[in-house]
Amino acid sequence: MIGIDIGGANLKIVDEHGVHIHYCPLWKETPVREILQEYSKADNAAVVMSGELADCFASKQEGIEFLYNAVRDVFPEAIFYGTDGNFHTKPVSMLAAANWLVMADVLRFKYPDCLLVDMGSTSTDIIPLNAWDSLKGQTDFDRLKTGMLLYYGLLRTPVSSLVRKVSLDGTEVFVSTEYFACSGDAHLLMKMISSDIYTTATPDSCTTSWEHCLRRMARMVCADVQEVGEAMILQIARGYVNEEMALVKSVVSSVMQRYGCKKILTVGIGSKILASWLNAHDLAAEMGSLSDAMPAWAVREAGLRTV
């Protein structure tokens, strides 16, 4: 059995050989079936999704049915994990955004007093592993209300979604609200990630090189690199990261206190950054690359329990 996690931007697969991550922007009609066909020799698939929210679908239910049918065309007996904590064989509404819950389902026994924080390319999940009964049934809307979901991620977050103005050489400057630069640019310019981690499409479809990241970030204040200089551009990136760190730390602290969690675990492609901010244990230290695809790993583990 393989584990499949279909997000809006990435399709992640875990099998006996390890982790396979495919950049798969659903809004661009990426051929999901063709990607899955590469793994069709597997006996079956356990699946979790969050890509049903992609704006190429008129509704979440339409997205669920599209992804369900795409998987079933390749794996006719595939099972799908839902927000009720059970597997399903029909495209029921509970399949929407259950990727975070399956991690809690699998990890809650080993880490019963921990708060799990998972930063992916697009969003960050904050999951109290000691609250299983209250976690079941929650939608993304519910979790946004309670702070257990932040739509800020390592790579794809627009800079202007978090920062309204930045301090440049002591002067407060408002930023453009255009999608000129993203969190991937800020993290690379702050040397928190390398270009090989920056795997998603850039705002201007150019490369993830230092020069192109500088150019995109300069546009946040409607400038060119030559106009304001590298040092000032780095101040913009630093301003974004400082706001991001403050937000994550504040919300994590609030959820941790609310549920009485004693320790913090971090996973996802942003786990190393999270661990440094939160004084947490990075599960990548023991799980390696599986930490970057935890829902795919977890749904496979949960699926194997049903065999």
Side-chain angles (χ1 to χ4, degrees), residues 108-175:
R108 61 194 172 103
F109 300 105
K110 186 175 181 180
Y111 304 102
D113 61 347
C114 290
L115 185 73
L116 180 69
V117 187
D118 176 11
M119 177 181 279
S121 63
T122 306
S123 61
T124 300
D125 296 300
I126 302 168
I127 311 165
L129 298 180
N130 61 352
W132 173 247
D133 289 337
S134 66
L135 295 180
K136 289 187 292 184
Q138 291 198 33
T139 64
D140 276 357
F141 177 55
D142 295 325
R143 296 192 304 130
L144 284 169
K145 289 189 288 185
T146 60
M148 288 196 287
L149 172 62
L150 295 176
Y151 242 83
Y152 302 98
L154 187 73
L155 303 177
R156 298 185 59 245
T157 305
V159 167
S160 60
S161 69
L162 188 57
V163 175
R164 293 292 176 266
K165 57 184 178 179
V166 290
S167 178
L168 304 181
D169 291 344
T171 300
E172 294 292 309
V173 181
F174 285 98
V175 302

Side-chain angles (χ1 to χ4, degrees), residues 224-245:
D224 289 328
V225 177
Q226 296 82 359
E227 183 178 356
V228 294
E230 182 172 312
M232 191 170 288
I233 297 169
L234 295 181
Q235 290 178 46
I236 303 171
R238 186 174 297 108
Y240 175 85
V241 170
N242 287 342
E243 289 290 335
E244 175 191 32
M245 178 176 63

Side-chain angles (χ1 to χ4, degrees), residues 28-264:
K28 293 186 177 180
E29 300 181 1
T30 301
V32 176
R33 291 172 179 81
E34 286 78 356
I35 294 174
L36 293 178
Q37 195 65 46
E38 300 176 31
Y39 305 91
S40 60
K41 292 183 180 180
D43 292 335
N44 202 4
V47 186
V48 70
M49 66 177 71
S50 60
E52 76 290 330
L53 193 63
D55 57 11
C56 56
F57 305 120
S59 66
K60 288 193 282 188
Q61 186 59 37
E62 180 183 307
I64 289 169
E65 293 174 7
F66 174 86
L67 297 176
Y68 171 90
N69 290 327
V71 174
R72 277 289 177 116
D73 284 350
V74 181
F75 299 100
E77 303 299 321
I79 54 177
F80 296 77
Y81 191 87
T83 52
D84 59 349
N86 296 314
F87 279 101
H88 300 268
T89 56
K90 301 292 183 182
V92 296
S93 61
M94 289 175 288
L95 301 188
N99 56 338
W100 63 277
L101 186 67
V102 75
M103 292 190 292
D105 194 351
V106 173
L107 293 174
R108 61 194 172 103
F109 300 105
K110 186 175 181 180
Y111 304 102
D113 61 347
C114 290
L115 185 73
L116 180 69
V117 187
D118 176 11
M119 177 181 279
S121 63
T122 306
S123 61
T124 300
D125 296 300
I126 302 168
I127 311 165
L129 298 180
N130 61 352
W132 173 247
D133 289 337
S134 66
L135 295 180
K136 289 187 292 184
Q138 291 198 33
T139 64
D140 276 357
F141 177 55
D142 295 325
R143 296 192 304 130
L144 284 169
K145 289 189 288 185
T146 60
M148 288 196 287
L149 172 62
L150 295 176
Y151 242 83
Y152 302 98
L154 187 73
L155 303 177
R156 298 185 59 245
T157 305
V159 167
S160 60
S161 69
L162 188 57
V163 175
R164 293 292 176 266
K165 57 184 178 179
V166 290
S167 178
L168 304 181
D169 291 344
T171 300
E172 294 292 309
V173 181
F174 285 98
V175 302
S176 166
T177 56
E178 293 284 355
Y179 184 43
F180 283 140
C182 60
S183 53
D185 297 316
H187 292 139
L188 189 141
L189 290 173
M190 290 292 95
K191 299 183 179 180
M192 300 166 75
I193 64 171
S194 55
S195 59
D196 61 308
I197 300 296
Y198 192 166
T199 56
T200 58
T202 63
D204 60 359
S205 299
C206 292
T207 75
T208 61
S209 69
W210 181 266
E211 291 74 21
H212 285 166
C213 287
L214 283 173
R215 186 176 70 187
R216 286 189 290 270
M217 195 62 68
R219 286 178 176 157
M220 291 308 306
V221 290
C222 303
D224 289 328
V225 177
Q226 296 82 359
E227 183 178 356
V228 294
E230 182 172 312
M232 191 170 288
I233 297 169
L234 295 181
Q235 290 178 46
I236 303 171
R238 186 174 297 108
Y240 175 85
V241 170
N242 287 342
E243 289 290 335
E244 175 191 32
M245 178 176 63
L247 175 65
V248 170
K249 290 175 71 172
S250 174
V251 175
V252 166
S253 176
S254 177
V255 175
M256 192 171 186
Q257 291 179 22
R258 189 187 318 151
Y259 289 93
C261 299
K262 297 179 181 178
K263 299 177 182 178
I264 302 174

Side-chain angles (χ1 to χ4, degrees), residues 273-285:
I273 293 172
L274 288 173
S276 68
W277 290 348
L278 303 171
N279 191 27
H281 175 60
D282 182 358
L283 279 182

